[in-house]
Amino acid sequence: MKRIINFIFAVLLSPVCLFAQGQGVTQCGTSTGQYPFPVQSYIELSDPSVPSSQQWSTMKQPCVSWGTTDVRYAKHKLPVLKVQKNISLTGWRGEKIHAQAVVWTGTDIDKLNYSFTEFKNGKGNIIPASAFSGGFVRYVMTDELNKDGRGACGSRPDHTIYDSLLVADGIDHLLEFIPMEKMSTRAVWVNCRIPQSAIPGLYKGTVEVKDGDKILSVLNMDIRVSSHTLPVPSEWTYHLDLWQNPFAVARYYQVPLWSQEHINAMRPLMKMLADAGQKVITAAIIHKPWNGQTHDYFESMVTWIRKVDGTWAFDYAVFDRWVEFMMSMGINKQINCYSMVPWELSFQYFDQASNSMQFVRTAPGESEYEEIWVAMLSSFSRHLREKDWFDICTIAMDERPMEVMQKTLKVIYKADSEFKVSLAGNFHKEIEKDLYDYCISIGQCFPEDVKVRRHTEGKWTTYYTSCAEAFPNTYTFSAPAEATWMSYYSAKNHLDGYLRWAYNSWPKEPLLDSRYKSFAAGDTYFVYPGARSSIRFEKLIEGIQDHEKITILRREFTVTGNKDGLKKIERLLSPFNLSSFPEIPAERTVNKAKRILNTL
Amino acid sequence: MKRIINFIFAVLLSPVCLFAQGQGVTQCGTSTGQYPFPVQSYIELSDPSVPSSQQWSTMKQPCVSWGTTDVRYAKHKLPVLKVQKNISLTGWRGEKIHAQAVVWTGTDIDKLNYSFTEFKNGKGNIIPASAFSGGFVRYVMTDELNKDGRGACGSRPDHTIYDSLLVADGIDHLLEFIPMEKMSTRAVWVNCRIPQSAIPGLYKGTVEVKDGDKILSVLNMDIRVSSHTLPVPSEWTYHLDLWQNPFAVARYYQVPLWSQEHINAMRPLMKMLADAGQKVITAAIIHKPWNGQTHDYFESMVTWIRKVDGTWAFDYAVFDRWVEFMMSMGINKQINCYSMVPWELSFQYFDQASNSMQFVRTAPGESEYEEIWVAMLSSFSRHLREKDWFDICTIAMDERPMEVMQKTLKVIYKADSEFKVSLAGNFHKEIEKDLYDYCISIGQCFPEDVKVRRHTEGKWTTYYTSCAEAFPNTYTFSAPAEATWMSYYSAKNHLDGYLRWAYNSWPKEPLLDSRYKSFAAGDTYFVYPGARSSIRFEKLIEGIQDHEKITILRREFTVTGNKDGLKKIERLLSPFNLSSFPEIPAERTVNKAKRILNTL
């Protein structure tokens, strides 16, 4: 059966014909460039699960209700929901809060759409409609954890081995309306970024859900605005490091790398990342720093040229263009440069003598490695200092054997003893002091004294999740609240933030199919083309904001000597234990903590 | 039978084991780099023709005789020779003259070797032994003309379709001695460059041919030195243009392109070319100007970089290294730069944005073509003027449709109206005046008035041979005198010289097998690794010298009003007609003309 379904997918995917009925837009072509980008509308893949006529038989009219943001409502199923027309949300001034409305129907809906009213409090103050945004939740193909349930690493060349299901994930803000077939469900995601200038109080408003002009339901929403204020994302202390992949954008949008079109295509995507509090620019200083593990490998942003006289020349025009663009997006706190110790110790360059791309294979400890890297880093250091970026730049390593990392550090310091260094890997006390930005796996621990010292030294101390973790994680099939849970866990452990290796390393057709030839589906990207957000990403932001709120409150309570408040924080954080997965769902822990946090 | 022979070749060739018995040197390995270079000694491929025991049965002792330089003496055959112990040569002072001695034997010879005595005239003047050089004539595998006998163009992927035979061609000056098996023939090539300071007269000397220390024969040689003087090759007016392939040298010697080792490996080879009167440096200004038709394609000597901002950058470090090296060899009269109109209209460059080699496909007449080439040529012009090379540099075209060449000229002149242009192609009156160096196929004619005008304008007017010609030509199976014949033909037609597309575009194993996947064997090279000359090359030089002698005599006779002398020259040249091939052998026409020329 799975094989049949996958056969159907194959037919659907090649060539892809993307359109939305009722949109007046039909865009067809193969995935390699015939249709115009960005894709405004597209048809989701067919649901491998067929709706049960019996189950849906009682549903005649469309039904609309508030749901929860913790659930990915299945397309083919009647949602397990008692219809709720009212919802109450709480947030700080400056906080982005969200809710999810659910529509399910026994009859076809031509043009499902929604609109927000102005929100008012009793004194006539308002939250303007412009503070609200939303999107239709879109269905994407996903798979599942590895068969042993213990993670999602490894190669997956044959998708038929894994369960394939359509899940709600993307949030599509580009459509004005969407059609619904009878016996299907569609959620509407609602965001409200409470203005920092909002007067605290209780605001009331509605979301109208319609079929064309015909109102299907009016949903009421209360927003309780706290007197606390969350700073703008660029001022959050949370150290968010989701690795950006500009190469995926160029390929997907079929635009020349680093052209103005490329920059334009990246702008909304990277703005969305900046708005999530991203601090770090991901820069590739060599060809394939991760040996091409993504659908679109990372190309060097530094031009390496070996001249015919044997000397090296480096050019930073691409690097500068990338960094300057990202800084213009507001991501300007740090630049992490990958990598002196790639997984494949092979360094590509343009060889003037042979007029071709060549590789040199050399490893830390070898004289050729030192010769090349001291040349590169000395030049790079000069360039960074000219640009006044030296102090925010790190030479970034992935986990390598201790001896290799130590040899690498020696080479870095030989070129410039003031270079900052970052590492995402295991905890190693031997080199911890060398690491300005140190990120370890969520399953590992920094010693308490190390964290305290690092904090006073102004160093970043974070953790990451990857395919190694089954829970918590942010696959397209992960429970949405796991994305939030992680930041509570980080707050509990007094860590500065979170790193994930893939903000947008899109697979071939990211809108349709989140699966990839390796890892579980969604591992390689958080967000979708068209700068479409996702349930996972919005829930991640929720956690980041909560982490930031906790940081602010801790600071405030410490200053004011509010020991009771501090205790309450520790108490609300105490249930965040990795060992509670998968028995205790993330949303239970998160929502309980959140209720308390919002009373502080 | 051919198939069996070719199977044997395949076995022999892969891997190649090169050594010479009795040399104390054994060098083995594959052709891709295990043995040390240059190869001092090697074993020829087995002769597909087996010697006839019956034919050789009368031969007991080794036999030594003067032969003629017009014959490639077969290895397996008894030479058709009446034993001659005396030979008489005539030459001008400064001329390089040659003879061929032949050894054939019914018994094994361990260490065939030879030596020269000092040559003396009756007055005690000498030609020192240092004026003499020689080498063992080596056997190399060859094939034949196309089956229709009308040329040698086209692809030859299957060597078994063509006759395969071992022919005498290379002249190996690197061996002190060579062993001979019974029932085999081996020639010794003898060169004498008569010193310009030699006193005219008759000189007598000997060549001793030995087996080890044992004299096999003493051959007498008379050299009649004329009172005329031939200038040194660099002063010859003959416009020789044999295209050099530095890429073949780097591959064959397994040295990095443009490294000092590469330059060192090329030095003796290019010195030999300079000594033949070469005037032109072959420069590739794009990747694969001839679409990779040689075993080692030509790589661009100009570095093309498209920067991330879309502008072009060009670097001339490789070009400069090549030109300066060739000039240091004495080849400094002209630089021909290939090609703005390659056979494949695709231009490769290093693309900074994508950090990769990219191609742009564009043709003369297109705005992109003009944009790129005006950028390149403007930069190139500046560079050439800085180097003081602008006046000796030509932008070189191969034959293209008239319209294309005219559009190309427009682009060249847009970049710099003073650029010189060269063409090897057909005769076109429409663009003739634009061409500083104009070379047409031997089968075509320049109008007389055009030749005269071009001469007064100081432009070069030459012809070429290629695979299109069955006769005269310089394949490894061509009659040696055809190489000489061509320059007499050039003299007859008042042309300035000769072009051939391949001085050293070696096939995989040039010492062993002159066949290639296209064209007839030897079409791609004149000379062998180790700066070994060849019968063809020495006979070509003979013709060039005779052309130069004719030019000198014509000038002298014109100045002195020696109409009889001028008539004699025209008369001796009159039998040089293309239509006489193949019925009248080249050597008959050449030797008759030569005898007369040497009396003038």
Side-chain angles (χ1 to χ4, degrees), chain A residues 388-413:
Chain A
D388 211 11
W389 295 340
F390 186 83
D391 287 339
I392 60 165
C393 195
T394 81
I395 304 303
M397 295 191 287
D398 297 296
E399 178 69 21
R400 295 273 110 192
M402 173 53 57
E403 187 193 31
V404 173
M405 293 191 290
Q406 286 173 325
K407 284 175 180 166
T408 306
L409 286 168
K410 238 173 114 177
V411 173
I412 295 173
Y413 296 144

Side-chain angles (χ1 to χ4, degrees), chain A residues 54 80 180 226 283 285 298 318 326 353 376 385 504-505 514:
Chain A
Q54 195 192 347
V80 185
M180 283 183 72
S226 138
I285 55 171
F298 285 71
V318 171
M326 289 298 276
M376 191 280 169
R385 288 177 187 276
N504 70 313
S505 280
S514 64

Side-chain angles (χ1 to χ4, degrees), chain A residues 174-190:
Chain A
L174 298 177
L175 299 177
E176 285 180 41
F177 44 79
I178 197 166
M180 283 183 72
E181 279 180 44
K182 62 182 178 185
M183 301 194 289
S184 75
T185 296
R186 173 76 59 187
V188 173
W189 191 272
V190 176

Side-chain angles (χ1 to χ4, degrees), chain A residues 402 406 409 427-435 438:
Chain A
M402 173 53 57
Q406 286 173 325
L409 286 168
F427 181 74
H428 304 285
K429 64 177 190 315
E430 299 90 336
I431 58 168
E432 174 274 316
K433 289 184 179 169
D434 289 297
L435 302 170
Y438 197 173

Side-chain angles (χ1 to χ4, degrees), chain B residues 369 500 529:
Chain B
Y369 181 91
R500 207 167 194 294

Side-chain angles (χ1 to χ4, degrees), chain B residues 24 40 105 113 203 218 222 280 317 345 395 401 418 434 441 443 575 598:
Chain B
Q40 290 292 326
T105 181
N113 67 96
Y203 292 78
V218 177
D222 288 0
V280 187
L345 281 165
I395 304 303
E418 295 183 287
D434 289 296
S441 157
N598 278 337

Side-chain angles (χ1 to χ4, degrees), chain B residues 361-373:
Chain B
R361 298 189 65 83
T362 185
E366 293 173 9
S367 63
E368 190 173 22
Y369 181 91
E370 182 171 315
E371 178 236 313
I372 292 172
W373 275 106

Side-chain angles (χ1 to χ4, degrees), chain B residues 155-345:
Chain B
S155 179
R156 300 182 168 207
D158 181 2
H159 287 316
T160 65
I161 292 168
Y162 297 86
D163 199 11
S164 296
L165 50 147
L166 211 59
V167 286
D169 189 57
I171 299 174
D172 197 336
H173 60 291
L174 299 177
L175 298 178
E176 285 178 43
F177 45 80
I178 195 166
M180 283 182 73
E181 279 178 46
K182 62 181 177 185
M183 299 194 288
S184 74
T185 296
R186 173 76 59 186
V188 173
W189 190 273
V190 176
N191 286 315
C192 172
R193 191 179 288 277
I194 302 172
Q196 286 189 310
S197 59
I199 309 294
L202 181 67
Y203 292 78
K204 289 172 182 289
T206 62
V207 179
E208 282 184 359
V209 178
K210 297 177 278 190
D211 177 6
D213 294 330
K214 181 186 153 201
I215 291 177
L216 298 178
S217 182
V218 177
L219 297 175
N220 302 308
M221 182 187 272
D222 288 0
I223 298 176
R224 185 172 297 278
V225 178
S226 136
S227 58
H228 289 295
T229 304
L230 191 68
V232 291
S234 62
E235 291 173 23
W236 295 348
T237 59
Y238 194 92
H239 196 71
L240 180 63
D241 185 7
L242 307 183
W243 296 359
Q244 313 99 53
N245 187 337
F247 307 94
V249 178
R251 181 267 306 175
Y252 187 83
Y253 286 86
Q254 299 287 306
V255 290
L257 267 168
W258 310 117
S259 62
Q260 194 53 51
E261 297 90 322
H262 184 204
I263 298 289
N264 292 346
M266 289 194 290
R267 190 167 286 117
L269 196 74
M270 299 307 169
K271 177 67 169 57
M272 181 162 67
L273 180 60
D275 286 347
Q278 174 75 11
K279 296 293 179 292
V280 187
I281 302 169
T282 308
I285 56 171
I286 64 161
H287 172 73
K288 290 194 181 177
W290 299 284
N291 201 22
Q293 67 173 339
T294 46
H295 184 86
D296 302 283
Y297 67 79
F298 285 72
E299 188 48 88
S300 183
M301 296 167 180
V302 174
T303 308
W304 293 60
I305 298 178
R306 183 161 228 160
K307 295 196 288 185
V308 69
D309 65 6
T311 61
W312 288 96
F314 303 93
D315 187 278
Y316 303 97
V318 171
F319 177 85
D320 291 354
R321 185 165 287 211
W322 168 239
V323 170
E324 283 163 5
F325 160 65
M326 289 298 278
M327 287 187 165
S328 79
M329 293 290 94
I331 299 171
N332 54 17
K333 297 289 191 297
Q334 194 169 316
I335 309 164
N336 281 7
C337 299
Y338 298 88
S339 170
M340 286 180 67
V341 275
W343 298 345
E344 182 80 13
L345 281 165

